[in-house]
Amino acid sequence: MSYIEIKNIWKYFQNNVILKKINLKIEKGTFICIFGPNGCGKTTLLNIIAGILIPDAGYVSIDGKKSNDNIIGYIFQDYRESLLPWKTNLENIAFPLELRGISKKERNTKVRDIVKNLNLRIPLDSYPYQSSGGEQQLVALLREIIAEPKVILMDEPFSSLHCKSRDYLKIEIQKIYKKLGLTIIFVSHEITETMQLADRIIVMKKYPGEIINILNINFPRPRTEELVFSSGFSDIREILRSQI
Amino acid sequence: MKLFYKISVLIFFLALWFFINQNHLIKPIFLPKITAVFSSLQEIIFSEYGLKNIFSTLGRVLIGFFIALSFSVPLGIFLGVFKKIYESLEWFIDFFRSIPVTAMFPLFLIFFGFGDASKIAMGAWACGFIILVNTISGVWNSKPNREIMAKTKKASYFQILTKITFFEALPFIFTGIKIGVSWNLIVVIVAEMFIGTRYGLGRLIYDSSITLDTPMVFSGIIIIGLIGYFLNQFILILERKIIHWQ
Ligand SMILES: Nc1ncnc2c1ncn2[C@@H]1O[C@H](COP(=O)(O)OP(=O)(O)O)[C@@H](O)[C@H]1O
Ligand SMILES: [Mg+2]
């Protein structure tokens, strides 16, 4: 049995088939990108994996348990709406520990350790609204990581960022992913981003939302913007282009 | 510069008042001499009797406010979250909210007697409904993402209410506090006038008007105005400090 099993998921909204027979197996420590046009059901699928939304048929199991019974990381497109503006960046990152009743002192040590360990520069004592978009999204990512989730779901997390912070984060997230051995499911509708990040690309189409292709991507990491010049890049890009 | 304009407006009104006095444009029983009002003001501020009046009123307003706050915020969050319960209580809340608390004088007297309790209770009642309704809208206005985030971190129901929902509703709660405190002051003053009390600015104004002591009536009004103004300013400062992210 695989680490994450998505079995025969169907989802309807008002008699429309939104997700049709989604089957997917994901191994621990892989970086999955779900790629597809707007409205193909990517967010709906993530919500089902997170246990926020109940499918009309099928199930998701993570590490042998129902998704609801696991701690799951979820990063939204709009970081402004998921960070807590009344808390500092440090307190935001420490929030999952606070929920578990861990002492303030221990929380602070843990946050500072993890930031140092990952070599990140984040203004920990500032508030999110005093930080750049990239810093805020990193805070959101660290808050998920500190909870030690079974899987981290990311829903177009970079789409509301400036391209400079986007490039920076694409590199950072690859480093963090490798260093901590995370399992990530990353949703995107951007071809280059998808190819830069994914070990495996799950291609979806819409009306109804269905998986139409799965591509393995083997370019060496960390993959920068230079990836577009590698041999083999354009072949895969053409496949992705033709399918949306 | 702003301060300059503010003070100019004040000086303008004082000068106008003085001008009217000097030229006997309005009878002193309607608009007393500015100097007479100043000496009445002094009498209130620098006498034990006067201060007792001020602090009795202020005390009633503050006690009523804190009672209202401690009931309305938790109840508002509860009703905001449990929509079904709110829906069945909505008519009830709207009905009682629509009755001016002053119309319920006799009821408050029966339940709380002629002492401080009834005045505080009336103020708290008026203030409490306003904070309650605003807290409920605050909960309704919060975006779902933070709550979802907390749920994926296995936050308990109580943790979500106290660590997320409460903060999301805070801006609305403060709106309720600002309006509520003003109403509380109004109701306490009116209650002091009509229920009667030994000390209280409402009583001071009422008694002075019976003896036709117009300067004292004016002084009482001015002091109430100042209390209202500074309470509001204080709340605004507190709001900016607490809801720093807005
Ligand atoms: N709560 C909902 N009620 C009705 N339709 C919905 C709801 N959520 C999503 N949809 C529809 O489902 C489809 C997939 O949406 P979504 O999962 O957000 O797509 P994506 O994230 O790929 O852009 C869209 O057509 C959208 O209109
Ligand atoms: Mg989406």
Side-chain angles (χ1 to χ4, degrees):
Chain A
M1 187 151 149
S2 299
Y3 185 62
I4 298 176
E5 302 229 1
I6 297 169
K7 255 296 200 280
N8 204 19
I9 296 281
W10 287 73
K11 182 72 194 172
Y12 299 83
F13 282 129
Q14 290 119 24
N15 296 327
N16 295 320
V17 187
I18 302 298
L19 292 175
K20 180 182 170 185
K21 208 177 174 196
I22 304 288
N23 280 293
L24 196 58
K25 289 182 177 180
I26 298 170
E27 295 312 323
K28 195 172 177 171
T30 39
F31 201 131
I32 301 290
C33 278
I34 298 179
F35 173 81
N38 274 328
C40 72
K42 304 183 293 295
T43 299
T44 306
L45 181 57
L46 277 199
N47 285 341
I48 289 172
I49 298 173
I52 295 166
L53 203 63
I54 316 245
D56 294 308
Y59 68 90
V60 175
S61 90
I62 298 172
D63 203 12
K65 286 187 271 182
K66 277 195 318 209
S67 55
N68 269 331
D69 297 335
N70 289 292
I71 290 178
I72 288 167
Y74 201 154
I75 295 191
F76 302 94
Q77 176 172 352
D78 196 341
Y79 47 85
R80 284 180 214 91
E81 283 183 12
S82 89
L83 291 176
L84 313 179
W86 50 87
K87 286 181 178 298
T88 62
N89 287 336
L90 186 145
E91 290 165 342
N92 265 289
I93 298 172
F95 186 65
L97 306 179
E98 182 186 337
L99 292 176
R100 290 174 203 170
I102 292 170
S103 78
K104 190 165 183 143
K105 203 171 150 219
E106 212 173 317
R107 297 196 307 250
N108 291 0
T109 321
K110 196 147 185 202
V111 172
R112 290 189 195 280
D113 282 353
I114 210 170
V115 172
K116 206 166 141 206
N117 181 31
L118 294 173
N119 250 327
L120 297 169
R121 260 173 289 113
I122 299 174
L124 285 176
D125 298 317
S126 304
Y127 287 93
Y129 57 85
Q130 298 166 326
S131 317
S132 73
E135 287 166 344
Q136 292 184 52
Q137 201 53 290
L138 265 182
V139 168
L141 177 61
L142 290 181
R143 178 179 65 191
E144 304 310 310
I145 287 173
I146 212 163
E148 297 179 347
K150 289 283 164 65
V151 55
I152 297 182
L153 312 175
M154 304 179 84
D155 194 356
E156 308 194 20
F158 304 151
S159 57
S160 52
L161 295 174
H162 293 299
C163 65
K164 222 181 113 191
S165 11
R166 197 181 309 176
D167 292 346
Y168 167 71
L169 278 180
K170 277 190 271 187
I171 302 295
E172 283 308 320
I173 194 166
Q174 291 183 72
K175 287 192 204 155
I176 295 171
Y177 152 71
K178 269 284 169 229
K179 184 153 188 171
L180 303 179
L182 304 173
T183 309
I184 296 178
I185 304 179
F186 187 109
V187 158
S188 176
H189 68 269
E190 235 240 330
I191 293 182
T192 319
E193 177 178 87
T194 307
M195 291 178 60
Q196 220 180 316
L197 295 176
D199 295 326
R200 258 163 89 212
I201 302 177
I202 314 297
V203 186
M204 287 179 69
K205 72 161 188 59
K206 62 175 161 181
Y207 310 134
E210 232 179 325
I211 296 177
I212 49 171
N213 201 348
I214 295 181
L215 299 166
N216 288 312
I217 309 290
N218 296 313
F219 301 113
R221 288 180 192 273
R223 303 172 193 154
T224 63
E225 302 303 302
E226 306 291 307
L227 184 71
V228 293
F229 304 116
S230 346
S231 64
F233 177 88
S234 51
D235 298 342
I236 299 174
R237 184 177 58 193
E238 284 321 306
I239 297 175
L240 290 176
R241 260 197 198 146
S242 68
Q243 288 181 328
I244 58 170
Chain B
M1 208 55 192
K2 253 188 178 162
L3 190 66
F4 172 77
Y5 285 123
K6 282 179 189 168
I7 291 172
S8 311
V9 171
L10 180 65
I11 289 173
F12 172 77
F13 273 103
L14 292 179
L16 185 67
W17 191 348
F18 189 70
F19 177 80
I20 292 171
N21 288 161
Q22 286 300 310
N23 297 287
H24 308 288
L25 297 179
I26 300 178
K27 277 192 187 157
I29 193 147
F30 299 123
L31 182 71
K33 276 208 148 90
I34 197 166
T35 45
V37 173
F38 267 107
S39 61
S40 298
L41 269 176
Q42 268 180 5
E43 212 176 298
I44 298 179
I45 294 170
F46 295 112
S47 71
E48 196 192 324
Y49 167 75
L51 289 179
K52 271 189 177 157
N53 277 301
I54 293 176
F55 284 105
S56 299
T57 300
L58 197 56
R60 287 176 191 127
V61 170
L62 291 181
I63 292 171
F65 164 71
F66 282 113
I67 292 172
L69 193 66
S70 56
F71 272 98
S72 295
V73 172
L75 187 62
I77 289 178
F78 177 81
L79 290 176
V81 171
F82 295 100
K83 249 192 157 132
K84 286 254 162 62
I85 299 180
Y86 172 79
E87 274 161 13
S88 50
L89 286 176
E90 188 179 17
W91 68 269
F92 184 81
I93 293 172
D94 278 342
F95 177 71
F96 278 100
R97 193 159 67 99
S98 312
I99 306 172
V101 65
T102 43
M104 295 193 283
F105 258 58
L107 293 181
F108 277 90
L109 289 181
I110 292 168
F111 280 99
F112 296 100
F114 285 85
D116 276 341
S118 56
K119 299 174 195 90
I120 292 171
M122 284 170 66
W125 177 275
C127 179
F129 267 110
I130 295 167
I131 299 179
L132 177 70
V133 173
N134 275 281
T135 306
I136 293 172
S137 343
V139 173
W140 288 351
N141 257 282
S142 59
K143 303 234 175 73
N145 277 2
R146 298 193 179 107
E147 193 185 316
I148 292 174
M149 181 277 295
K151 272 185 189 155
T152 61
K153 304 289 161 299
K154 302 280 167 272
S156 69
Y157 219 86
F158 185 71
Q159 281 177 324
I160 290 177
L161 291 187
T162 54
K163 291 178 191 290
I164 308 277
T165 315
F166 169 71
F167 286 94
E168 296 257 33
L170 254 189
F172 279 74
I173 293 175
F174 260 95
T175 306
I177 288 175
K178 277 182 281 187
I179 306 171
V181 168
S182 309
W183 275 99
N184 195 342
L185 183 61
I186 293 170
V187 170
V188 167
I189 297 287
V190 173
E192 286 172 351
M193 287 180 168
F194 291 99
I195 301 178
T197 171
R198 244 165 93 86
Y199 297 108
L201 291 167
R203 195 67 207 171
L204 180 121
I205 293 174
Y206 191 76
D207 288 347
S208 310
S209 73
I210 287 179
T211 57
L212 298 183
D213 185 353
T214 327
M216 197 50 107
V217 172
F218 269 67
S219 304
I221 294 171
I222 290 171
I223 288 178
I224 292 169
L226 288 174
I227 289 177
Y229 179 79
F230 284 109
L231 273 179
N232 208 44
Q233 289 300 310
F234 178 73
I235 295 168
L236 280 177
I237 292 171
L238 210 62
E239 182 181 24
R240 249 173 267 146
K241 199 125 197 96
I242 293 177
I243 315 180
H244 54 80
W245 60 90
Q246 282 235 320

